[in-house]
Amino acid sequence: MATRIFEKDPELIAVEEVAHMPYRWAMGRDGSKFFNEIRDREVLLGIKCPKCKKVYVPPRMLCGPCFAKMDELVELGNEGVVEAFTLVNYPFIDPDTGKNRPIPYIYGYIKLDGADNLLSHVIKTLPETPVKVGDRVKAVFTGLKQGRIQDIEYFEPIRAR
């Protein structure tokens, strides 16, 4: 651990420390089913509210607007519509690989077919065919799946043929 004094104001100090923070997060019944279906069948699941009929992805226990307990899992397509996106140019270390994540890349909010909320994920596109709000995209899955959101490698635009 290192402590240093700010040059402009000696009353301010900064403490720098590298912290190793292992953790374990229980996914629950519906979360586990969600990731197992991605891993085993390349299928995305949502959960439907019995009261307001909204479908959420990934599944959660309670409906936000009406607080109803939800337990009806529904299969969603692996396609959807780009609702918003940003071009990321900020370099950082990818926690999955320990290496710098290649930049630039596009991170977007996707409304999957059959869902009422948005799923955020990487969108891969070519410079000559930039992504636009309203574009249809589909999930592209990795070869070696582990039951994680990274099993969806990215979404790619569906181009008219």
PDB file of all heavy atoms in Angstrom, residues 13-49:
ATOM      1  N   ILE A  13      -4.880  13.449   0.874  1.00  0.00           N
ATOM      2  CA  ILE A  13      -4.013  12.303   0.648  1.00  0.00           C
ATOM      3  C   ILE A  13      -4.759  11.274  -0.189  1.00  0.00           C
ATOM      4  O   ILE A  13      -5.990  11.281  -0.263  1.00  0.00           O
ATOM      5  CB  ILE A  13      -3.535  11.653   1.971  1.00  0.00           C
ATOM      6  CG1 ILE A  13      -4.728  11.131   2.770  1.00  0.00           C
ATOM      7  CG2 ILE A  13      -2.704  12.608   2.776  1.00  0.00           C
ATOM      8  CD1 ILE A  13      -4.316  10.290   3.973  1.00  0.00           C
ATOM      9  N   ALA A  14      -4.001  10.410  -0.814  1.00  0.00           N
ATOM     10  CA  ALA A  14      -4.574   9.317  -1.592  1.00  0.00           C
ATOM     11  C   ALA A  14      -3.904   8.030  -1.140  1.00  0.00           C
ATOM     12  O   ALA A  14      -2.702   7.994  -0.901  1.00  0.00           O
ATOM     13  CB  ALA A  14      -4.340   9.536  -3.080  1.00  0.00           C
ATOM     14  N   VAL A  15      -4.695   6.991  -1.012  1.00  0.00           N
ATOM     15  CA  VAL A  15      -4.175   5.678  -0.647  1.00  0.00           C
ATOM     16  C   VAL A  15      -4.331   4.784  -1.865  1.00  0.00           C
ATOM     17  O   VAL A  15      -5.422   4.690  -2.432  1.00  0.00           O
ATOM     18  CB  VAL A  15      -4.939   5.077   0.554  1.00  0.00           C
ATOM     19  CG1 VAL A  15      -4.440   3.680   0.861  1.00  0.00           C
ATOM     20  CG2 VAL A  15      -4.815   5.987   1.764  1.00  0.00           C
ATOM     21  N   GLU A  16      -3.252   4.180  -2.289  1.00  0.00           N
ATOM     22  CA  GLU A  16      -3.291   3.271  -3.429  1.00  0.00           C
ATOM     23  C   GLU A  16      -3.022   1.864  -2.933  1.00  0.00           C
ATOM     24  O   GLU A  16      -2.065   1.627  -2.212  1.00  0.00           O
ATOM     25  CB  GLU A  16      -2.231   3.671  -4.454  1.00  0.00           C
ATOM     26  CG  GLU A  16      -2.479   5.029  -5.064  1.00  0.00           C
ATOM     27  CD  GLU A  16      -1.374   5.445  -6.024  1.00  0.00           C
ATOM     28  OE1 GLU A  16      -0.549   4.593  -6.395  1.00  0.00           O
ATOM     29  OE2 GLU A  16      -1.347   6.627  -6.391  1.00  0.00           O
ATOM     30  N   GLU A  17      -3.894   0.935  -3.331  1.00  0.00           N
ATOM     31  CA  GLU A  17      -3.749  -0.445  -2.902  1.00  0.00           C
ATOM     32  C   GLU A  17      -4.326  -1.363  -3.964  1.00  0.00           C
ATOM     33  O   GLU A  17      -5.349  -1.050  -4.564  1.00  0.00           O
ATOM     34  CB  GLU A  17      -4.495  -0.655  -1.582  1.00  0.00           C
ATOM     35  CG  GLU A  17      -4.343  -2.029  -1.008  1.00  0.00           C
ATOM     36  CD  GLU A  17      -4.975  -2.155   0.360  1.00  0.00           C
ATOM     37  OE1 GLU A  17      -5.232  -1.142   1.016  1.00  0.00           O
ATOM     38  OE2 GLU A  17      -5.221  -3.300   0.762  1.00  0.00           O
ATOM     39  N   VAL A  18      -3.678  -2.479  -4.195  1.00  0.00           N
ATOM     40  CA  VAL A  18      -4.197  -3.494  -5.093  1.00  0.00           C
ATOM     41  C   VAL A  18      -4.935  -4.506  -4.224  1.00  0.00           C
ATOM     42  O   VAL A  18      -4.371  -5.045  -3.270  1.00  0.00           O
ATOM     43  CB  VAL A  18      -3.063  -4.181  -5.886  1.00  0.00           C
ATOM     44  CG1 VAL A  18      -3.614  -5.308  -6.724  1.00  0.00           C
ATOM     45  CG2 VAL A  18      -2.349  -3.159  -6.748  1.00  0.00           C
ATOM     46  N   ALA A  19      -6.194  -4.732  -4.533  1.00  0.00           N
ATOM     47  CA  ALA A  19      -7.002  -5.631  -3.714  1.00  0.00           C
ATOM     48  C   ALA A  19      -7.451  -6.829  -4.549  1.00  0.00           C
ATOM     49  O   ALA A  19      -8.006  -6.663  -5.632  1.00  0.00           O
ATOM     50  CB  ALA A  19      -8.213  -4.889  -3.167  1.00  0.00           C
ATOM     51  N   HIS A  20      -7.208  -8.009  -4.052  1.00  0.00           N
ATOM     52  CA  HIS A  20      -7.712  -9.225  -4.678  1.00  0.00           C
ATOM     53  C   HIS A  20      -9.077  -9.505  -4.054  1.00  0.00           C
ATOM     54  O   HIS A  20      -9.186  -9.635  -2.835  1.00  0.00           O
ATOM     55  CB  HIS A  20      -6.746 -10.383  -4.422  1.00  0.00           C
ATOM     56  CG  HIS A  20      -7.184 -11.665  -5.053  1.00  0.00           C
ATOM     57  ND1 HIS A  20      -7.249 -11.835  -6.412  1.00  0.00           N
ATOM     58  CD2 HIS A  20      -7.601 -12.827  -4.510  1.00  0.00           C
ATOM     59  CE1 HIS A  20      -7.676 -13.050  -6.678  1.00  0.00           C
ATOM     60  NE2 HIS A  20      -7.900 -13.666  -5.541  1.00  0.00           N
ATOM     61  N   MET A  21     -10.125  -9.545  -4.871  1.00  0.00           N
ATOM     62  CA  MET A  21     -11.475  -9.644  -4.341  1.00  0.00           C
ATOM     63  C   MET A  21     -12.228 -10.821  -4.954  1.00  0.00           C
ATOM     64  O   MET A  21     -13.130 -10.631  -5.768  1.00  0.00           O
ATOM     65  CB  MET A  21     -12.228  -8.342  -4.599  1.00  0.00           C
ATOM     66  CG  MET A  21     -11.582  -7.150  -3.922  1.00  0.00           C
ATOM     67  SD  MET A  21     -12.325  -5.565  -4.333  1.00  0.00           S
ATOM     68  CE  MET A  21     -14.015  -5.807  -3.928  1.00  0.00           C
ATOM     69  N   PRO A  22     -11.889 -12.050  -4.575  1.00  0.00           N
ATOM     70  CA  PRO A  22     -12.656 -13.180  -5.098  1.00  0.00           C
ATOM     71  C   PRO A  22     -14.069 -13.158  -4.521  1.00  0.00           C
ATOM     72  O   PRO A  22     -14.294 -12.696  -3.395  1.00  0.00           O
ATOM     73  CB  PRO A  22     -11.870 -14.393  -4.602  1.00  0.00           C
ATOM     74  CG  PRO A  22     -11.125 -13.914  -3.425  1.00  0.00           C
ATOM     75  CD  PRO A  22     -10.854 -12.448  -3.655  1.00  0.00           C
ATOM     76  N   TYR A  23     -15.022 -13.618  -5.317  1.00  0.00           N
ATOM     77  CA  TYR A  23     -16.395 -13.656  -4.834  1.00  0.00           C
ATOM     78  C   TYR A  23     -17.141 -14.805  -5.484  1.00  0.00           C
ATOM     79  O   TYR A  23     -16.731 -15.342  -6.501  1.00  0.00           O
ATOM     80  CB  TYR A  23     -17.123 -12.333  -5.098  1.00  0.00           C
ATOM     81  CG  TYR A  23     -17.308 -12.015  -6.563  1.00  0.00           C
ATOM     82  CD1 TYR A  23     -18.468 -12.374  -7.240  1.00  0.00           C
ATOM     83  CD2 TYR A  23     -16.321 -11.357  -7.288  1.00  0.00           C
ATOM     84  CE1 TYR A  23     -18.636 -12.096  -8.571  1.00  0.00           C
ATOM     85  CE2 TYR A  23     -16.480 -11.068  -8.627  1.00  0.00           C
ATOM     86  CZ  TYR A  23     -17.640 -11.438  -9.255  1.00  0.00           C
ATOM     87  OH  TYR A  23     -17.814 -11.159 -10.587  1.00  0.00           O
ATOM     88  N   ARG A  24     -18.234 -15.164  -4.891  1.00  0.00           N
ATOM     89  CA  ARG A  24     -19.115 -16.201  -5.418  1.00  0.00           C
ATOM     90  C   ARG A  24     -20.516 -15.626  -5.387  1.00  0.00           C
ATOM     91  O   ARG A  24     -20.939 -15.089  -4.382  1.00  0.00           O
ATOM     92  CB  ARG A  24     -19.014 -17.450  -4.548  1.00  0.00           C
ATOM     93  CG  ARG A  24     -19.926 -18.557  -5.019  1.00  0.00           C
ATOM     94  CD  ARG A  24     -19.741 -19.779  -4.160  1.00  0.00           C
ATOM     95  NE  ARG A  24     -18.919 -20.681  -4.944  1.00  0.00           N
ATOM     96  CZ  ARG A  24     -18.321 -21.739  -4.476  1.00  0.00           C
ATOM     97  NH1 ARG A  24     -18.386 -22.023  -3.208  1.00  0.00           N
ATOM     98  NH2 ARG A  24     -17.631 -22.523  -5.281  1.00  0.00           N
ATOM     99  N   TRP A  25     -21.225 -15.764  -6.509  1.00  0.00           N
ATOM    100  CA  TRP A  25     -22.549 -15.173  -6.638  1.00  0.00           C
ATOM    101  C   TRP A  25     -23.527 -16.277  -7.011  1.00  0.00           C
ATOM    102  O   TRP A  25     -23.367 -16.934  -8.041  1.00  0.00           O
ATOM    103  CB  TRP A  25     -22.518 -14.089  -7.709  1.00  0.00           C
ATOM    104  CG  TRP A  25     -23.788 -13.355  -7.918  1.00  0.00           C
ATOM    105  CD1 TRP A  25     -24.744 -13.056  -6.998  1.00  0.00           C
ATOM    106  CD2 TRP A  25     -24.253 -12.797  -9.153  1.00  0.00           C
ATOM    107  NE1 TRP A  25     -25.752 -12.342  -7.564  1.00  0.00           N
ATOM    108  CE2 TRP A  25     -25.477 -12.170  -8.898  1.00  0.00           C
ATOM    109  CE3 TRP A  25     -23.750 -12.758 -10.441  1.00  0.00           C
ATOM    110  CZ2 TRP A  25     -26.209 -11.519  -9.871  1.00  0.00           C
ATOM    111  CZ3 TRP A  25     -24.477 -12.107 -11.400  1.00  0.00           C
ATOM    112  CH2 TRP A  25     -25.695 -11.490 -11.123  1.00  0.00           C
ATOM    113  N   ALA A  26     -24.535 -16.486  -6.183  1.00  0.00           N
ATOM    114  CA  ALA A  26     -25.549 -17.506  -6.462  1.00  0.00           C
ATOM    115  C   ALA A  26     -26.525 -16.972  -7.504  1.00  0.00           C
ATOM    116  O   ALA A  26     -27.118 -15.908  -7.320  1.00  0.00           O
ATOM    117  CB  ALA A  26     -26.285 -17.876  -5.176  1.00  0.00           C
ATOM    118  N   MET A  27     -26.685 -17.700  -8.579  1.00  0.00           N
ATOM    119  CA  MET A  27     -27.548 -17.264  -9.674  1.00  0.00           C
ATOM    120  C   MET A  27     -29.026 -17.543  -9.411  1.00  0.00           C
ATOM    121  O   MET A  27     -29.880 -16.986 -10.076  1.00  0.00           O
ATOM    122  CB  MET A  27     -27.141 -17.956 -10.980  1.00  0.00           C
ATOM    123  CG  MET A  27     -25.737 -17.642 -11.435  1.00  0.00           C
ATOM    124  SD  MET A  27     -25.430 -15.887 -11.655  1.00  0.00           S
ATOM    125  CE  MET A  27     -26.647 -15.478 -12.860  1.00  0.00           C
ATOM    126  N   GLY A  28     -29.330 -18.446  -8.482  1.00  0.00           N
ATOM    127  CA  GLY A  28     -30.718 -18.796  -8.229  1.00  0.00           C
ATOM    128  C   GLY A  28     -31.239 -19.753  -9.279  1.00  0.00           C
ATOM    129  O   GLY A  28     -30.573 -20.063 -10.272  1.00  0.00           O
ATOM    130  N   ARG A  29     -32.461 -20.209  -9.074  1.00  0.00           N
ATOM    131  CA  ARG A  29     -33.067 -21.192  -9.980  1.00  0.00           C
ATOM    132  C   ARG A  29     -33.221 -20.645 -11.394  1.00  0.00           C
ATOM    133  O   ARG A  29     -32.788 -21.262 -12.363  1.00  0.00           O
ATOM    134  CB  ARG A  29     -34.430 -21.624  -9.423  1.00  0.00           C
ATOM    135  CG  ARG A  29     -35.117 -22.690 -10.272  1.00  0.00           C
ATOM    136  CD  ARG A  29     -36.575 -22.865  -9.904  1.00  0.00           C
ATOM    137  NE  ARG A  29     -37.278 -21.698 -10.416  1.00  0.00           N
ATOM    138  CZ  ARG A  29     -38.332 -21.129  -9.840  1.00  0.00           C
ATOM    139  NH1 ARG A  29     -38.813 -21.604  -8.725  1.00  0.00           N
ATOM    140  NH2 ARG A  29     -38.901 -20.078 -10.363  1.00  0.00           N
ATOM    141  N   ASP A  30     -33.843 -19.482 -11.530  1.00  0.00           N
ATOM    142  CA  ASP A  30     -34.116 -18.946 -12.867  1.00  0.00           C
ATOM    143  C   ASP A  30     -32.855 -18.446 -13.560  1.00  0.00           C
ATOM    144  O   ASP A  30     -32.691 -18.621 -14.764  1.00  0.00           O
ATOM    145  CB  ASP A  30     -35.162 -17.833 -12.783  1.00  0.00           C
ATOM    146  CG  ASP A  30     -36.502 -18.350 -12.296  1.00  0.00           C
ATOM    147  OD1 ASP A  30     -36.803 -19.543 -12.517  1.00  0.00           O
ATOM    148  OD2 ASP A  30     -37.254 -17.570 -11.691  1.00  0.00           O
ATOM    149  N   GLY A  31     -31.954 -17.836 -12.814  1.00  0.00           N
ATOM    150  CA  GLY A  31     -30.683 -17.390 -13.394  1.00  0.00           C
ATOM    151  C   GLY A  31     -29.859 -18.572 -13.876  1.00  0.00           C
ATOM    152  O   GLY A  31     -29.247 -18.536 -14.948  1.00  0.00           O
ATOM    153  N   SER A  32     -29.846 -19.645 -13.082  1.00  0.00           N
ATOM    154  CA  SER A  32     -29.117 -20.852 -13.488  1.00  0.00           C
ATOM    155  C   SER A  32     -29.723 -21.443 -14.752  1.00  0.00           C
ATOM    156  O   SER A  32     -29.002 -21.837 -15.671  1.00  0.00           O
ATOM    157  CB  SER A  32     -29.137 -21.885 -12.357  1.00  0.00           C
ATOM    158  OG  SER A  32     -28.437 -21.391 -11.235  1.00  0.00           O
ATOM    159  N   LYS A  33     -31.030 -21.504 -14.812  1.00  0.00           N
ATOM    160  CA  LYS A  33     -31.707 -22.028 -16.007  1.00  0.00           C
ATOM    161  C   LYS A  33     -31.387 -21.158 -17.229  1.00  0.00           C
ATOM    162  O   LYS A  33     -31.123 -21.676 -18.321  1.00  0.00           O
ATOM    163  CB  LYS A  33     -33.217 -22.086 -15.760  1.00  0.00           C
ATOM    164  CG  LYS A  33     -34.027 -22.641 -16.900  1.00  0.00           C
ATOM    165  CD  LYS A  33     -33.941 -24.126 -16.996  1.00  0.00           C
ATOM    166  CE  LYS A  33     -34.946 -24.642 -18.026  1.00  0.00           C
ATOM    167  NZ  LYS A  33     -34.634 -25.973 -18.471  1.00  0.00           N
ATOM    168  N   PHE A  34     -31.382 -19.836 -17.034  1.00  0.00           N
ATOM    169  CA  PHE A  34     -31.061 -18.902 -18.112  1.00  0.00           C
ATOM    170  C   PHE A  34     -29.689 -19.209 -18.713  1.00  0.00           C
ATOM    171  O   PHE A  34     -29.543 -19.374 -19.924  1.00  0.00           O
ATOM    172  CB  PHE A  34     -31.100 -17.468 -17.565  1.00  0.00           C
ATOM    173  CG  PHE A  34     -30.664 -16.407 -18.531  1.00  0.00           C
ATOM    174  CD1 PHE A  34     -31.491 -16.008 -19.564  1.00  0.00           C
ATOM    175  CD2 PHE A  34     -29.442 -15.774 -18.387  1.00  0.00           C
ATOM    176  CE1 PHE A  34     -31.105 -15.004 -20.457  1.00  0.00           C
ATOM    177  CE2 PHE A  34     -29.035 -14.774 -19.254  1.00  0.00           C
ATOM    178  CZ  PHE A  34     -29.876 -14.393 -20.296  1.00  0.00           C
ATOM    179  N   PHE A  35     -28.673 -19.336 -17.851  1.00  0.00           N
ATOM    180  CA  PHE A  35     -27.315 -19.575 -18.347  1.00  0.00           C
ATOM    181  C   PHE A  35     -27.119 -21.008 -18.840  1.00  0.00           C
ATOM    182  O   PHE A  35     -26.376 -21.238 -19.795  1.00  0.00           O
ATOM    183  CB  PHE A  35     -26.279 -19.206 -17.288  1.00  0.00           C
ATOM    184  CG  PHE A  35     -26.180 -17.720 -17.102  1.00  0.00           C
ATOM    185  CD1 PHE A  35     -26.594 -17.127 -15.930  1.00  0.00           C
ATOM    186  CD2 PHE A  35     -25.698 -16.917 -18.123  1.00  0.00           C
ATOM    187  CE1 PHE A  35     -26.519 -15.750 -15.774  1.00  0.00           C
ATOM    188  CE2 PHE A  35     -25.619 -15.540 -17.978  1.00  0.00           C
ATOM    189  CZ  PHE A  35     -26.029 -14.956 -16.795  1.00  0.00           C
ATOM    190  N   ASN A  36     -27.793 -21.972 -18.232  1.00  0.00           N
ATOM    191  CA  ASN A  36     -27.704 -23.355 -18.725  1.00  0.00           C
ATOM    192  C   ASN A  36     -28.306 -23.473 -20.120  1.00  0.00           C
ATOM    193  O   ASN A  36     -27.779 -24.199 -20.967  1.00  0.00           O
ATOM    194  CB  ASN A  36     -28.400 -24.328 -17.769  1.00  0.00           C
ATOM    195  CG  ASN A  36     -27.606 -24.560 -16.510  1.00  0.00           C
ATOM    196  OD1 ASN A  36     -26.391 -24.375 -16.481  1.00  0.00           O
ATOM    197  ND2 ASN A  36     -28.286 -24.968 -15.448  1.00  0.00           N
ATOM    198  N   GLU A  37     -29.401 -22.776 -20.378  1.00  0.00           N
ATOM    199  CA  GLU A  37     -30.025 -22.828 -21.708  1.00  0.00           C
ATOM    200  C   GLU A  37     -29.141 -22.159 -22.759  1.00  0.00           C
ATOM    201  O   GLU A  37     -29.074 -22.629 -23.891  1.00  0.00           O
ATOM    202  CB  GLU A  37     -31.418 -22.181 -21.675  1.00  0.00           C
ATOM    203  CG  GLU A  37     -32.448 -23.019 -20.944  1.00  0.00           C
ATOM    204  CD  GLU A  37     -32.732 -24.339 -21.629  1.00  0.00           C
ATOM    205  OE1 GLU A  37     -33.119 -24.348 -22.814  1.00  0.00           O
ATOM    206  OE2 GLU A  37     -32.558 -25.380 -20.968  1.00  0.00           O
ATOM    207  N   ILE A  38     -28.467 -21.085 -22.397  1.00  0.00           N
ATOM    208  CA  ILE A  38     -27.511 -20.473 -23.333  1.00  0.00           C
ATOM    209  C   ILE A  38     -26.398 -21.475 -23.627  1.00  0.00           C
ATOM    210  O   ILE A  38     -26.038 -21.708 -24.774  1.00  0.00           O
ATOM    211  CB  ILE A  38     -26.934 -19.164 -22.771  1.00  0.00           C
ATOM    212  CG1 ILE A  38     -28.007 -18.079 -22.757  1.00  0.00           C
ATOM    213  CG2 ILE A  38     -25.726 -18.711 -23.589  1.00  0.00           C
ATOM    214  CD1 ILE A  38     -27.564 -16.787 -22.087  1.00  0.00           C
ATOM    215  N   ARG A  39     -25.849 -22.071 -22.572  1.00  0.00           N
ATOM    216  CA  ARG A  39     -24.726 -23.006 -22.721  1.00  0.00           C
ATOM    217  C   ARG A  39     -25.125 -24.255 -23.511  1.00  0.00           C
ATOM    218  O   ARG A  39     -24.427 -24.672 -24.422  1.00  0.00           O
ATOM    219  CB  ARG A  39     -24.218 -23.424 -21.337  1.00  0.00           C
ATOM    220  CG  ARG A  39     -23.032 -24.386 -21.387  1.00  0.00           C
ATOM    221  CD  ARG A  39     -22.741 -25.000 -20.040  1.00  0.00           C
ATOM    222  NE  ARG A  39     -23.870 -25.819 -19.634  1.00  0.00           N
ATOM    223  CZ  ARG A  39     -24.203 -26.053 -18.365  1.00  0.00           C
ATOM    224  NH1 ARG A  39     -23.501 -25.541 -17.387  1.00  0.00           N
ATOM    225  NH2 ARG A  39     -25.245 -26.803 -18.082  1.00  0.00           N
ATOM    226  N   ASP A  40     -26.264 -24.849 -23.164  1.00  0.00           N
ATOM    227  CA  ASP A  40     -26.630 -26.147 -23.719  1.00  0.00           C
ATOM    228  C   ASP A  40     -27.379 -26.080 -25.049  1.00  0.00           C
ATOM    229  O   ASP A  40     -27.242 -26.981 -25.878  1.00  0.00           O
ATOM    230  CB  ASP A  40     -27.485 -26.926 -22.711  1.00  0.00           C
ATOM    231  CG  ASP A  40     -26.743 -27.195 -21.407  1.00  0.00           C
ATOM    232  OD1 ASP A  40     -25.494 -27.117 -21.403  1.00  0.00           O
ATOM    233  OD2 ASP A  40     -27.419 -27.464 -20.395  1.00  0.00           O
ATOM    234  N   ARG A  41     -28.185 -25.025 -25.244  1.00  0.00           N
ATOM    235  CA  ARG A  41     -29.039 -24.999 -26.437  1.00  0.00           C
ATOM    236  C   ARG A  41     -28.966 -23.697 -27.240  1.00  0.00           C
ATOM    237  O   ARG A  41     -29.672 -23.555 -28.229  1.00  0.00           O
ATOM    238  CB  ARG A  41     -30.497 -25.252 -26.048  1.00  0.00           C
ATOM    239  CG  ARG A  41     -30.741 -26.589 -25.408  1.00  0.00           C
ATOM    240  CD  ARG A  41     -32.225 -26.958 -25.272  1.00  0.00           C
ATOM    241  NE  ARG A  41     -33.066 -25.904 -24.768  1.00  0.00           N
ATOM    242  CZ  ARG A  41     -34.224 -25.531 -25.344  1.00  0.00           C
ATOM    243  NH1 ARG A  41     -34.669 -26.117 -26.427  1.00  0.00           N
ATOM    244  NH2 ARG A  41     -34.950 -24.566 -24.809  1.00  0.00           N
ATOM    245  N   GLU A  42     -28.147 -22.737 -26.787  1.00  0.00           N
ATOM    246  CA  GLU A  42     -28.076 -21.428 -27.442  1.00  0.00           C
ATOM    247  C   GLU A  42     -29.451 -20.774 -27.511  1.00  0.00           C
ATOM    248  O   GLU A  42     -29.832 -20.174 -28.513  1.00  0.00           O
ATOM    249  CB  GLU A  42     -27.430 -21.527 -28.825  1.00  0.00           C
ATOM    250  CG  GLU A  42     -25.988 -21.979 -28.775  1.00  0.00           C
ATOM    251  CD  GLU A  42     -25.278 -21.992 -30.106  1.00  0.00           C
ATOM    252  OE1 GLU A  42     -25.931 -21.777 -31.156  1.00  0.00           O
ATOM    253  OE2 GLU A  42     -24.049 -22.216 -30.109  1.00  0.00           O
ATOM    254  N   VAL A  43     -30.191 -20.888 -26.413  1.00  0.00           N
ATOM    255  CA  VAL A  43     -31.537 -20.333 -26.298  1.00  0.00           C
ATOM    256  C   VAL A  43     -31.532 -19.291 -25.190  1.00  0.00           C
ATOM    257  O   VAL A  43     -30.983 -19.523 -24.112  1.00  0.00           O
ATOM    258  CB  VAL A  43     -32.557 -21.448 -25.977  1.00  0.00           C
ATOM    259  CG1 VAL A  43     -33.907 -20.873 -25.581  1.00  0.00           C
ATOM    260  CG2 VAL A  43     -32.707 -22.379 -27.165  1.00  0.00           C
ATOM    261  N   LEU A  44     -32.163 -18.155 -25.452  1.00  0.00           N
ATOM    262  CA  LEU A  44     -32.302 -17.107 -24.438  1.00  0.00           C
ATOM    263  C   LEU A  44     -33.686 -17.208 -23.809  1.00  0.00           C
ATOM    264  O   LEU A  44     -34.685 -17.353 -24.512  1.00  0.00           O
ATOM    265  CB  LEU A  44     -32.104 -15.733 -25.066  1.00  0.00           C
ATOM    266  CG  LEU A  44     -30.726 -15.503 -25.663  1.00  0.00           C
ATOM    267  CD1 LEU A  44     -30.686 -14.220 -26.460  1.00  0.00           C
ATOM    268  CD2 LEU A  44     -29.684 -15.481 -24.578  1.00  0.00           C
ATOM    269  N   LEU A  45     -33.720 -17.148 -22.482  1.00  0.00           N
ATOM    270  CA  LEU A  45     -34.973 -17.240 -21.741  1.00  0.00           C
ATOM    271  C   LEU A  45     -35.327 -15.903 -21.122  1.00  0.00           C
ATOM    272  O   LEU A  45     -34.457 -15.152 -20.689  1.00  0.00           O
ATOM    273  CB  LEU A  45     -34.864 -18.266 -20.610  1.00  0.00           C
ATOM    274  CG  LEU A  45     -34.712 -19.730 -20.972  1.00  0.00           C
ATOM    275  CD1 LEU A  45     -34.609 -20.568 -19.689  1.00  0.00           C
ATOM    276  CD2 LEU A  45     -35.867 -20.207 -21.828  1.00  0.00           C
ATOM    277  N   GLY A  46     -36.618 -15.638 -21.052  1.00  0.00           N
ATOM    278  CA  GLY A  46     -37.143 -14.513 -20.303  1.00  0.00           C
ATOM    279  C   GLY A  46     -38.088 -15.057 -19.252  1.00  0.00           C
ATOM    280  O   GLY A  46     -38.326 -16.271 -19.178  1.00  0.00           O
ATOM    281  N   ILE A  47     -38.632 -14.189 -18.450  1.00  0.00           N
ATOM    282  CA  ILE A  47     -39.620 -14.587 -17.449  1.00  0.00           C
ATOM    283  C   ILE A  47     -40.800 -13.631 -17.556  1.00  0.00           C
ATOM    284  O   ILE A  47     -40.621 -12.426 -17.733  1.00  0.00           O
ATOM    285  CB  ILE A  47     -39.009 -14.620 -16.034  1.00  0.00           C
ATOM    286  CG1 ILE A  47     -39.921 -15.378 -15.088  1.00  0.00           C
ATOM    287  CG2 ILE A  47     -38.659 -13.238 -15.530  1.00  0.00           C
ATOM    288  CD1 ILE A  47     -39.227 -15.853 -13.826  1.00  0.00           C
ATOM    289  N   LYS A  48     -42.009 -14.200 -17.493  1.00  0.00           N
ATOM    290  CA  LYS A  48     -43.228 -13.432 -17.745  1.00  0.00           C
ATOM    291  C   LYS A  48     -43.960 -13.142 -16.445  1.00  0.00           C
ATOM    292  O   LYS A  48     -44.180 -14.040 -15.624  1.00  0.00           O
ATOM    293  CB  LYS A  48     -44.138 -14.221 -18.690  1.00  0.00           C
ATOM    294  CG  LYS A  48     -45.346 -13.470 -19.169  1.00  0.00           C
ATOM    295  CD  LYS A  48     -46.085 -14.297 -20.204  1.00  0.00           C
ATOM    296  CE  LYS A  48     -47.198 -13.510 -20.843  1.00  0.00           C
ATOM    297  NZ  LYS A  48     -47.857 -14.308 -21.883  1.00  0.00           N
ATOM    298  N   CYS A  49     -44.360 -11.887 -16.285  1.00  0.00           N
ATOM    299  CA  CYS A  49     -45.128 -11.481 -15.109  1.00  0.00           C
ATOM    300  C   CYS A  49     -46.571 -11.964 -15.263  1.00  0.00           C
ATOM    301  O   CYS A  49     -47.198 -11.713 -16.292  1.00  0.00           O
ATOM    302  CB  CYS A  49     -45.101  -9.966 -14.956  1.00  0.00           C
ATOM    303  SG  CYS A  49     -46.111  -9.377 -13.580  1.00  0.00           S
TER     304      CYS A  49
END
